[in-house]
Amino acid sequence: MEWNTEQQALKQRYFEVGRDLVRPSAAFRDESVSFDKALWRKVGDTGLLGLSMPEQYGGSGLSITDFSAALEGFAEGCQDMGVLVTFVAQVALVQSSLVNYGTHEQCEKWLPSLISGEKLACFAITEQGCGSDVRSIKTQVEKTVDGYVLNGKKWNITNAPIADICMTFAKVKDKKEKAISCFILETNQSAVTQSEPFSLMGNRGTPIGSIDFNDVELSHRNLVSDEENGLAVLYFSFLIERILTGVLVSGCIRPLIKECAQYSQERHAFGSPIGNNQYVQQYIVDIESKLELLNGVIFKALYMIEQGRDCSKLASVIKMYSSEIFHESSLSAMRVLGNYGYRRENYYERLLRDAIGLLFAGGTTEIHKRVIWDSILSDVKNNPRVHKNLNLSWQENTARTTMSEAV
Ligand SMILES: Cc1cc2nc3c(=O)[nH]c(=O)nc-3n(C[C@H](O)[C@H](O)[C@H](O)COP(=O)(O)OP(=O)(O)OC[C@H]3O[C@@H](n4cnc5c(N)ncnc54)[C@H](O)[C@@H]3O)c2cc1C
């Protein structure tokens, strides 16, 4: 399975955008732990942030499959997990949730400035006391006569230090554990505090930090979906995030194969190219094989999404497998490239540091194994897992590219 002719053209177009616009300054942002908002605006100008968004809000209305082709190309061109993690947080998590669960009024208010790159959004669920166990969040929302009051602290959130818009989740006071609400709000208010960017091992070109809510007053216009339906919004956003993470990992890994193979032919040791050794070949062959397998699962998941079918289990397979092979492949590349790969002026060591972050971001491998195990068990018990209120109808708003067209 591979992209059709139009998708290949889209992929090439965004490969060039990534290569020419983003890549030249990626090392600087990593070194200086900085994010370039002007650059983000330029990415917005290319249309990438709105490719899969409805046209009425400034997007292009493409299918998720077309969009994935563009994203894979962009990732391959930019090789900048800073910009890519920011991208996933805003487009896969915030924008997609808004299209699927927000009202027309909310989409009209929030989407155009996000799609254009004028504004930046964060998606805040994690807290210092809880990461994997999202239902145990402590952030709380209390109903008032004419709205809500939000209190809590979110931690380790992509884009939080500089986001203009925040989508967040809170427990409804005095309701049962699963009663979680989703809100979208402006950060430019005194009741919201944003931290400085954290200094992390990798993903340093994306601003990651905390965001605190101290008696933030909200109205029904800030509420996304029904009052106690936040978990459905969350599961939908995770589904999209996990698949798109696989897509961007695919883009990041692909160049390693050619670059390592070429190096293995040029670099000599003991009188012959290092690539003549099967020990060396094995590293490159493994990257190639795993990438092919990843792509197969991605196409299947994209097909299911376009059919409006729940592919939560596959999304977990993709997230788990892609982050594991990303980490393994960038380490394998370093082994083949030796000192050359270890030098900071080359991008391989940055890729390896960034790949380690992806083992946690978007859910850890252990948690995805849990999801897959639960799904196996429910099949055994003939009791299919159904996500309550999971709405997969968003593709109805966009043009459809079927699997047969994409093959
Ligand atoms: C680069 C990056 C960007 C991020 N961006 C965001 C963001 O934008 N928004 C956001 O909300 N969060 C974000 N996060 C946070 C991320 O979602 C959490 O780090 C992740 O959910 C794991 O949480 P934790 O680190 O608290 O680990 P914990 O939940 O404390 O887990 C620690 C270890 O215990 C294991 N473990 C826990 N429970 C179980 C279990 N039941 N079975 C087996 N093993 C278990 C975990 O797998 C892990 O190995 C980001 C993280 C990173 C690294």
Side-chain angles (χ1 to χ4, degrees):
M1 284 171 287
E2 52 190 20
W3 308 118
N4 66 24
T5 313
E6 295 84 45
Q7 289 160 349
Q8 274 172 20
L10 203 56
K11 183 179 165 185
Q12 178 61 25
R13 173 164 177 242
Y14 282 99
F15 169 81
E16 286 165 19
V17 169
R19 182 194 60 194
D20 301 339
L21 188 63
V22 179
R23 188 166 185 164
S25 47
F28 171 77
R29 286 187 295 279
D30 171 68
E31 199 76 42
S32 56
V33 193
S34 61
F35 184 81
D36 184 347
K37 267 195 165 179
L39 177 75
W40 187 247
R41 181 72 209 239
K42 286 183 192 161
V43 172
D45 287 343
T46 71
L48 182 70
L49 307 178
L51 282 184
S52 62
M53 298 286 112
E55 287 172 282
Q56 65 189 125
Y57 308 122
S60 305
L62 295 187
S63 70
I64 190 165
T65 309
D66 291 347
F67 173 52
S68 296
L71 178 59
E72 191 186 45
F74 181 69
E76 192 173 333
C78 77
Q79 292 293 344
D80 181 351
M81 282 305 293
V83 165
L84 290 168
V85 168
T86 285
F87 181 92
V88 168
Q90 174 169 313
V91 180
L93 295 172
V94 178
Q95 291 180 199
S96 298
S97 300
L98 210 51
V99 169
N100 216 41
Y101 286 92
T103 61
H104 169 62
E105 188 198 21
Q106 286 172 328
C107 289
E108 232 174 14
K109 175 173 164 64
W110 304 99
L111 278 178
S113 59
L114 289 175
I115 289 172
S116 69
E118 186 194 329
K119 296 210 167 146
L120 188 71
C122 67
F123 186 89
I125 177 81
T126 303
E127 298 173 1
Q128 196 155 7
C130 83
S132 308
D133 184 9
V134 293
R135 286 188 198 174
S136 70
I137 55 171
K138 297 277 181 289
T139 298
Q140 199 174 66
V141 67
E142 191 171 356
K143 275 181 91 166
T144 59
V145 181
D146 52 357
Y148 305 90
V149 174
L150 178 71
N151 276 292
K153 293 173 187 293
K154 299 293 182 181
W155 194 77
N156 217 82
I157 308 298
T158 301
N159 303 340
I162 56 167
D164 309 286
I165 295 166
C166 176
M167 182 176 272
T168 194
F169 296 81
K171 284 258 174 71
V172 186
K173 195 175 177 200
D174 298 331
K175 290 282 172 87
K176 56 185 189 303
E177 199 207 14
K178 286 185 182 175
I180 289 177
S181 298
C182 173
F183 291 97
I184 186 159
L185 54 105
E186 260 140 8
T187 58
N188 183 20
Q189 46 181 311
S190 58
V192 175
T193 312
Q194 294 162 277
S195 74
E196 290 296 311
F198 296 169
S199 182
L200 304 171
M201 172 186 182
N203 305 108
R204 292 162 62 84
T206 191
I208 297 179
S210 61
I211 182 163
D212 297 356
F213 310 112
N214 308 299
D215 287 333
V216 181
E217 290 179 14
L218 301 167
S219 80
H220 286 93
R221 290 201 179 91
N222 300 101
L223 179 69
V224 179
S225 189
D226 298 335
E227 208 167 82
E228 297 180 20
N229 200 32
L231 278 179
V233 182
L234 201 60
Y235 290 143
F236 171 78
S237 65
F238 283 169
L239 186 81
I240 304 299
E241 177 201 28
R242 289 164 185 175
I243 296 170
L244 294 185
T245 297
V247 171
L248 68 86
V249 165
S250 169
C252 287
I253 289 179
R254 194 171 297 283
L256 297 178
I257 299 165
K258 201 169 163 194
E259 289 165 21
C260 288
Q262 247 161 13
Y263 185 84
S264 78
Q265 298 306 298
E266 289 158 10
R267 177 81 179 173
H268 284 63
F270 303 100
S272 66
I274 57 167
N276 285 0
N277 295 292
Q278 288 183 351
Y279 289 130
V280 173
Q281 292 165 10
Q282 187 186 332
Y283 289 125
I284 306 168
V285 169
D286 274 359
I287 303 175
E288 171 82 26
S289 314
K290 288 172 181 171
L291 185 57
E292 289 290 349
L293 292 172
L294 173 64
N295 284 332
V297 193
I298 289 173
F299 271 100
K300 182 173 178 188
L302 291 174
Y303 172 68
M304 287 177 74
I305 285 233
E306 299 238 7
Q307 304 276 312
R309 286 161 60 193
D310 181 5
C311 58
S312 309
K313 180 186 71 182
L314 267 192
S316 271
V317 171
I318 289 171
K319 167 60 190 46
M320 177 183 75
Y321 188 65
S322 63
S323 56
E324 290 293 338
I325 71 165
F326 191 18
H327 160 239
E328 285 164 20
S329 302
S330 38
L331 185 57
S332 294
M334 292 276 270
R335 292 185 204 268
V336 173
L337 300 169
N339 275 326
Y340 176 74
Y342 199 54
R343 293 178 71 90
R344 292 205 79 162
E345 71 257 31
N346 298 319
Y347 76 101
Y348 306 102
E349 63 83 31
R350 171 163 52 84
L351 208 63
L352 177 57
R353 285 186 284 111
D354 292 349
I356 290 174
L358 226 60
L359 294 171
F360 324 120
T364 66
T365 291
E366 295 76 19
I367 294 305
H368 289 297
K369 282 186 177 161
R370 241 183 87 134
V371 174
I372 298 163
W373 171 248
D374 286 348
S375 174
I376 293 170
L377 214 56
S378 56
D379 283 351
V380 169
K381 291 179 180 166
N382 207 12
N383 177 23
R385 283 184 93 212
V386 180
H387 284 300
K388 206 166 155 253
N389 302 337
L390 188 67
N391 171 10
L392 287 167
S393 63
W394 74 317
Q395 285 288 314
E396 282 168 17
N397 292 331
T398 60
R400 281 183 179 273
T401 303
T402 61
M403 185 67 156
S404 55
E405 287 168 323
V407 174

